[in-house]
Amino acid sequence: MDTDGFGELLQQAEQLAAETEGISELPHVERNLQEIQQAGERLRSRTLTRTSQETADVKASVLLGSRGLDISHISQRLESLSAVTTFEPLEPVKDTDIQRFCRTEGRRECLLPTLKASI
């Protein structure tokens, strides 16, 4: 191994650290190798714990995108659809007369057994 190369690399790293130390825009972070490894593992586990729905959404986007479909346009059109206007009654609903409903249901309940018995 070339120790001169490592020494030069160490000197460059120290020089870079000294230059960035005076800059207030960059936060100074000190981590050892174990902390860096743990942070990397946490990041990796967060990216691997997607739900099956998220995974399916990504796969669907890739498939549709590879076929030349504009996914963002399709998403916007789907979001603009409103089920409220689709399922509105064609005629306005009148107020319900509960007493009349109960009388009608009572008559039906009396007539049905009679009709069934006569058949």
Side-chain angles (χ1 to χ4, degrees):
M1 284 271 149
D2 185 17
T3 56
D4 293 335
F6 287 123
E8 185 179 327
L9 183 61
L10 177 61
Q11 184 181 10
Q12 289 176 355
E14 289 172 348
Q15 182 181 2
L16 182 61
E19 290 174 3
T20 58
E21 192 170 312
I23 301 174
S24 62
E25 295 175 10
L26 298 175
H28 186 68
V29 179
E30 289 186 25
R31 290 186 177 178
N32 60 26
L33 290 177
Q34 184 178 9
E35 291 171 335
I36 293 172
Q37 182 181 10
Q38 289 171 349
E41 288 296 323
R42 281 193 305 271
L43 180 61
R44 181 177 168 268
S45 68
R46 280 193 310 216
T47 58
L48 292 179
T49 56
R50 289 185 170 170
T51 63
S52 61
Q53 181 61 42
E54 289 173 333
T55 305
D57 289 347
V58 170
K59 288 180 179 179
S61 296
V62 169
L63 176 66
L64 293 174
S66 68
R67 301 289 185 225
L69 296 173
D70 185 8
I71 299 166
S72 62
H73 178 69
I74 293 171
S75 298
Q76 290 172 352
R77 289 195 55 200
L78 287 174
E79 288 173 4
S80 70
L81 292 177
S82 175
V84 173
T85 58
T86 305
F87 296 109
E88 285 183 353
L90 298 176
E91 298 176 6
V93 178
K94 298 176 183 174
D95 292 335
T96 306
D97 184 3
I98 296 175
Q99 291 176 347
R100 189 180 322 164
F101 174 76
C102 290
R103 282 193 303 251
T104 305
E105 284 297 310
R107 288 185 194 137
R108 285 183 189 161
E109 292 298 321
C110 290
L111 290 174
L112 286 177
T114 306
L115 291 173
K116 286 181 181 178
S118 66
I119 296 179

